[in-house]
Amino acid sequence: MVKKLETVQLPKATAKRLPLYYRYLKTLEDSGVKRIKSKEFSALTQVPSTTIRRDFSHFGELGRSGYGYDVDHVIEVFDQILNVNKLTKVAIVGVGNLGKALLANNFRRDENLKIACGFEKDEAQCGEVLSGIPIYSIDEMAEIIQEEGINTAISTVPSQYSQEAIDSLVAAGVTAILNFAPGRVSAPPEVDIRYIDLTTELLTLIYFNEHLREKVEI
Amino acid sequence: MVKKLETVQLPKATAKRLPLYYRYLKTLEDSGVKRIKSKEFSALTQVPSTTIRRDFSHFGELGRSGYGYDVDHVIEVFDQILNVNKLTKVAIVGVGNLGKALLANNFRRDENLKIACGFEKDEAQCGEVLSGIPIYSIDEMAEIIQEEGINTAISTVPSQYSQEAIDSLVAAGVTAILNFAPGRVSAPPEVDIRYIDLTTELLTLIYFNEHLREKVEI
C-alpha cells in the first residue's frame, strides 16, 4: 500500500537523499534493470541499506522482503514527490569562469534542468550568446525572468556583490537560489538559498581525512 | 574548563559545521570583534543558536552565559581541532572549464589552501601554466604528487573517466578527494571522497522550494 503522497512527512535527511536516489534509479531504468534489492542499491549509492529501507518506508510499502524494489514503480512514486517530470528553467547570474563552466555543462545529464539565460554586470558581455545561452544585463533581469517564467537561479557572483545579485533575483521573482558565494545573504523567508562553499567542503574533507576517521560515526 | 582535545568525540553533524564556524570566526577576528553571543553568531551563520551552543559545548566551556564567546579563544581551540594553521597543497585533475575556474579562484580567500599543480589527459594542455599553476600529464602524476607531498586533490574529470582519475590519484598516494563527477567511484577505505553534485543540489533546492517548506523541519 503506497501512502497518499500529500500526507507524507519526510525527515529532512530523507528528503535530501531523494534526488540522489532518483538519479540512480533513472540510471538503472536506462540500463534495463527492473528490480533491485536494498543491498545492491546501497552498493551503487553508497548509502547504507538500512538507511535506504528506512527512507523508502516513508512512502509506504515500495518493496517486498526477498524481492527488492520494482525500479519503475519507485521512479513513478518519486516522480510525483520530486515533481521532476517537468522542465525547470534556470537563470544564472555572473558569467565569469565558473559561470561559463556551468553554461557549457548546462546539466546536460538531466533533461529536466536547463539554464535558459544569463545575467552579467559587465556590459561588455551583455548581448553575447555563450554555449547557446543569451546573456543579458542586470537591468533586463526582471523582464526576462518574468517572460521566461523562471523562479530558480544560480549565482556565481563574487562575495562582495552577492547580496546585490540576490536582491535583484528576489525582486525579479526568483524563489530558489543556488549561491556559490559562501557568505550568508539575507532574503525574504519564502526564498530558499543553498550555498555551495567549496572552501568549506575542502576543509571538511581534509579534516575528516586527517583527524576523524576513528572518532566520528560516518 | 576546555576539554583535552584528543578526547573530544564529535557527532558528525557537529564536525561538518566546524569549518563553517571557523570561517565566520576568522571574519569576526578580521573585523576586530572580540566576543560574540550565540544569538548574534546564529544571525551570521544562519545556524540555530541552540545548535551552536550544543556544538560548542562538545569542546568544554567555551563561553559564559550572558557574556558570549571570546572570539580569539574559540579560534585557538578550533585551530587545534581543524589543524588549519598549516598550508594544505592541493592537486587538481582535469583542467576543462570547471578546472580552469578553480585554478583562477584558487581558494584565494583561504591562506591555508592552495592548488599547487594540475593534471590533464589532453596532451595539448600539458606543460602549460594556467593562472600561475603548472599543468602536467597524468603519467607524471605519481612523481609530482610525491615530490610536492600532496595528499589532497580535486577531480573535475567527466563521469566516464572519473574512476580512472581516482585510481591514478590513489596510486599516487592521495587520500582525500573532492569529486565533481556525481557517480560513486570505488576507492580503498583509507581514501575519503566527497562528491559535489550540482544537479542533485539544484534538484534538492527546487524540491524544498516547491514542496517541503511546511512539511520538513529545516
Side-chain angles (χ1 to χ4, degrees):
Chain A
M1 176 66 193
V2 172
K3 290 183 187 169
K4 275 180 74 180
L5 296 178
E6 59 266 40
T7 69
V8 170
Q9 300 277 332
L10 293 180
K12 190 185 178 194
T14 299
K16 285 182 73 172
R17 283 187 287 268
L18 285 195
L20 178 76
Y21 291 152
Y22 184 80
R23 297 190 69 210
Y24 279 100
L25 289 165
K26 292 295 276 185
T27 307
L28 289 169
E29 186 189 39
D30 291 347
S31 323
V33 174
K34 290 299 179 197
R35 67 184 202 190
I36 190 157
K37 293 185 179 179
S38 56
K39 282 197 178 159
E40 299 161 338
F41 199 55
S42 169
L44 199 64
T45 56
Q46 298 189 12
V47 173
S49 58
T50 50
T51 305
I52 291 172
R53 286 196 296 273
R54 197 177 55 235
D55 284 346
F56 281 22
S57 74
H58 290 289
F59 308 103
E61 289 180 26
L62 285 186
R64 286 202 310 275
S65 182
Y67 173 89
Y69 298 100
D70 180 291
V71 172
D72 290 346
H73 179 60
V74 181
I75 287 176
E76 206 174 287
V77 172
F78 282 16
D79 267 345
Q80 292 174 59
I81 301 271
L82 286 168
N83 196 15
V84 280
N85 270 333
K86 63 163 197 187
L87 177 68
T88 298
K89 287 196 284 188
V90 179
I92 192 164
V93 195
V95 294
N97 285 304
L98 179 59
K100 286 195 179 81
L102 293 170
L103 288 170
N105 179 284
N106 202 358
F107 303 99
R108 58 175 166 248
R109 291 167 62 86
D110 194 309
E111 63 202 18
N112 296 307
L113 292 173
K114 187 178 160 18
I115 301 174
C117 51
F119 298 94
E120 172 58 51
K121 207 172 179 174
D122 173 13
E123 293 290 336
Q125 300 218 275
C126 303
E128 278 192 24
V129 174
L130 297 173
S131 302
I133 296 144
I135 310 304
Y136 302 98
S137 88
I138 306 281
D139 296 340
E140 299 168 277
M141 188 188 277
E143 193 189 333
I144 304 284
I145 278 184
Q146 275 154 36
E147 261 178 35
E148 294 267 3
I150 288 174
N151 55 29
T152 305
I154 300 171
S155 173
T156 69
V157 166
S159 292
Q160 66 267 40
Y161 306 115
S162 177
Q163 182 68 57
E164 201 180 307
I166 271 62
D167 290 346
S168 303
L169 287 169
V170 169
V174 166
T175 56
I177 303 167
L178 199 62
N179 190 0
F180 279 86
R184 269 41 187 173
V185 290
S186 59
E190 69 275 17
V191 176
D192 283 323
I193 303 181
R194 275 179 86 86
Y195 297 86
I196 306 284
D197 180 350
L198 297 179
T199 303
T200 297
E201 291 288 344
L202 198 57
L203 286 176
T204 306
L205 171 71
I206 293 166
Y207 172 48
F208 271 94
N209 191 244
E210 292 187 355
H211 301 287
L212 286 174
R213 187 167 294 281
E214 288 122 49
K215 290 184 196 157
V216 175
E217 179 217 359
I218 299 200
Chain B
M1 176 69 193
V2 173
K3 290 182 187 169
K4 276 181 72 181
L5 295 179
E6 58 267 40
T7 69
V8 169
Q9 300 278 332
L10 294 179
K12 190 184 177 193
T14 299
K16 286 183 71 172
R17 282 186 288 268
L18 285 195
L20 178 77
Y21 291 152
Y22 184 80
R23 297 190 68 209
Y24 279 101
L25 288 164
K26 292 295 276 184
T27 307
L28 288 169
E29 186 188 38
D30 290 347
S31 322
V33 174
K34 291 296 178 200
R35 66 185 204 190
I36 189 156
K37 293 186 180 178
S38 56
K39 280 197 179 159
E40 298 161 340
F41 199 55
S42 169
L44 199 63
T45 57
Q46 297 191 11
V47 173
S49 57
T50 50
T51 305
I52 291 172
R53 286 195 297 273
R54 198 177 54 235
D55 285 345
F56 281 22
S57 72
H58 291 288
F59 308 103
E61 287 180 28
L62 286 186
R64 288 203 309 274
S65 182
Y67 173 89
Y69 298 100
D70 180 289
V71 172
D72 291 345
H73 178 61
V74 181
I75 286 176
E76 207 175 287
V77 171
F78 282 16
D79 267 346
Q80 292 175 57
I81 301 271
L82 286 169
N83 195 15
V84 280
N85 271 333
K86 63 164 196 184
L87 176 68
T88 297
K89 288 196 284 189
V90 179
I92 192 163
V93 195
V95 293
N97 284 304
L98 179 58
K100 286 194 180 81
L102 293 169
L103 289 170
N105 180 283
N106 201 0
F107 302 101
R108 59 175 167 248
R109 291 166 63 86
D110 193 309
E111 63 202 19
N112 295 307
L113 292 174
K114 185 176 158 21
I115 301 175
C117 51
F119 299 94
E120 171 59 51
K121 207 173 178 172
D122 174 13
E123 294 290 336
Q125 301 217 276
C126 303
E128 280 191 23
V129 174
L130 298 174
S131 303
I133 295 142
I135 310 303
Y136 303 97
S137 88
I138 306 282
D139 296 339
E140 298 168 277
M141 188 188 277
E143 193 189 331
I144 305 284
I145 279 185
Q146 276 154 36
E147 261 177 36
E148 294 266 4
I150 288 175
N151 54 27
T152 305
I154 300 172
S155 173
T156 69
V157 166
S159 293
Q160 66 268 38
Y161 305 115
S162 178
Q163 182 68 58
E164 202 179 309
I166 271 64
D167 290 346
S168 304
L169 287 169
V170 170
V174 166
T175 56
I177 303 167
L178 199 63
N179 190 0
F180 279 87
R184 268 44 186 170
V185 290
S186 59
E190 69 275 17
V191 177
D192 284 324
I193 303 180
R194 276 178 85 86
Y195 298 87
I196 306 285
D197 180 350
L198 297 178
T199 302
T200 296
E201 291 289 344
L202 197 58
L203 285 175
T204 305
L205 171 72
I206 293 166
Y207 171 48
F208 271 93
N209 191 245
E210 291 187 354
H211 301 288
L212 285 174
R213 186 166 296 279
E214 288 122 49
K215 289 183 194 157
V216 175
E217 179 215 0
I218 299 200

